[in-house]
Amino acid sequence: MDTSAANHETASRSPARTLLFSVLTGLASLAVLLQGVWAGIFLEHDGRRDDAGGWIDVHARGADVALVLAIAATIVAVWRLRSRKDLWIGSLVLVVLLAFESYLGGLIRDDGKDALTAVHIPLAMAIMAVSVWLPLRARIRR
């Protein structure tokens, strides 16, 4: 097989290989965005947890969804996009950040450690940045 045929085969498979990854990271990005919306809704209640309980629950379930999608994207990246080190490392970073963010959120919600909100919200901004970067990065052909 000549080099141009091998390059053509790789280029033709590349979009299909990144499609599943892009879909998963895109959905994770949407879940992260919705996290911000739901947080804005319950933060409106200014610390009155009883008034915001339903939205706090929605926010917690949204975190679970984002984490599952990020884990799935990481598995796809390692399994099908192993040569794209930027994608599998980036998706692994997203999983770690989301897991840590969920842990902090649980401490805030379940243990009343509201002071951790000062870390939780800026960390959410970093998560948003990574979750937007990943699907955009996947579009770059290598």
Side-chain angles (χ1 to χ4, degrees), residues 34-56:
L34 289 172
Q35 288 296 94
V37 172
W38 296 324
I41 291 170
F42 73 72
L43 288 174
E44 171 188 23
H45 295 285
D46 196 27
R48 294 186 316 268
R49 283 203 166 105
D50 292 340
D51 294 342
W55 287 110
I56 293 172

Side-chain angles (χ1 to χ4, degrees), residues 62-96:
D64 296 340
V65 168
L67 185 56
V68 167
L69 289 166
I71 290 169
T74 302
I75 291 168
V76 169
V78 169
W79 176 48
R80 296 184 71 185
L81 302 168
R82 187 175 307 263
S83 65
R84 294 290 309 268
K85 198 172 184 180
D86 56 337
L87 298 182
W88 64 261
I89 289 175
S91 58
L92 185 60
V93 166
L94 181 61
V95 168
V96 170

Side-chain angles (χ1 to χ4, degrees), residues 18-31:
T18 60
L19 179 63
L20 179 57
F21 179 81
S22 295
V23 167
L24 289 169
T25 54
L27 289 172
S29 296
L30 177 61

